[in-house]
Amino acid sequence: QEYTKDKMDTSMLHMWPRHDFMMLALPNIDGSFCGNLFMVKEDMQRVMRDDKALLEFCNEHFRDVLDIIGKDGLVNDFQPCSSFSPYCLTSTKCAPYHAWNKVVIIGDAAHTVVPFYGQGMNAGFQDCQVLMQILDGHALNKGDLPKALQMFQKHNAKMVMRLLIWLLNIITS
């Protein structure tokens, strides 16, 4: 199914949030969209059981999306997905962020977050900023790289925990 420009703007992400789940349409360069449905795994398995279950679900919860895609488009686009197991969204944190007083991991390598609200990328940028401030600060000026890396770890551990709690509160509320 070709999603045309007259139905959806191909220059932006489209979101249809519902209480416990949401659908996203991510634009592709060719003007088509990549659709994503985020929900609890058990519900996803029920919805993806067969074409009838999928259509009933979308008719009840995503009528506006169904009007854009059409019943045939929805079934044809989602049908190949029915052979796949749903993926789980996870958040991870690791410690320490440094090794051998030489190597530092930042961004998603150190702490992944669920892919909403652009906070994974923002957290990576913040890692760069904080690390540079610490390296430019007193720890490096005194030639104490291990101390600088420990300061970075201590600062980020608090910030990442706050971010994860904030995101989980948004997603589960």
Side-chain angles (χ1 to χ4, degrees):
Q1 171 84 19
E2 185 80 18
Y3 308 121
T4 60
K5 290 182 181 181
D6 62 316
K7 291 188 178 183
M8 290 190 348
D9 188 336
T10 59
S11 67
M12 60 181 58
L13 162 78
H14 298 272
M15 293 177 71
W16 294 272
R18 301 303 188 254
H19 296 283
D20 295 329
F21 43 84
M22 80 170 147
M23 189 177 290
L24 296 177
L26 305 164
N28 295 316
I29 293 173
D30 66 358
S32 64
F33 289 87
C34 175
N36 297 279
L37 181 59
F38 294 94
M39 63 183 357
V40 174
K41 185 176 182 178
E42 292 78 20
D43 292 342
M44 179 70 79
Q45 290 169 332
R46 181 181 49 79
V47 168
M48 299 301 290
R49 183 180 62 236
D50 56 35
D51 294 350
K52 183 180 177 193
L54 175 65
L55 287 168
E56 286 175 0
F57 172 79
C58 288
N59 195 44
E60 180 180 348
H61 298 286
F62 293 104
R63 184 71 208 163
D64 46 349
V65 177
L66 195 54
D67 289 342
I68 295 168
I69 298 173
K71 290 181 180 181
D72 290 339
L74 180 73
V75 170
N76 291 336
D77 288 349
F78 273 88
Q79 201 167 34
C81 300
S82 62
S83 62
F84 297 111
S85 295
Y87 293 101
C88 294
L89 296 175
T90 60
S91 294
T92 58
K93 345 172 246 317
C94 68
Y97 294 166
H98 56 89
W100 309 289
N101 295 321
K102 295 178 183 178
V103 178
V104 178
I105 57 174
I106 61 173
D108 282 347
H111 45 76
T112 59
V113 295
V114 293
F116 305 112
Y117 304 105
Q119 295 307 307
M121 182 174 62
N122 287 341
F125 290 149
Q126 185 176 10
D127 284 355
C128 294
Q129 180 184 21
V130 168
L131 181 58
M132 291 310 301
Q133 288 171 345
I134 290 171
L135 291 175
D136 288 342
H138 74 280
L140 192 61
N141 290 337
K142 296 176 183 174
D144 194 352
L145 183 59
K147 183 176 180 180
L149 297 178
Q150 289 171 0
M151 289 172 65
F152 176 66
Q153 170 68 35
K154 185 176 180 180
H155 178 273
N156 265 24
K158 291 177 190 173
M159 296 305 292
V160 169
M161 189 53 68
R162 287 182 192 145
L163 174 62
L164 291 174
I165 290 169
W166 177 75
L167 285 170
L168 287 173
N169 284 334
I170 288 174
I171 292 169
T172 58
S173 61

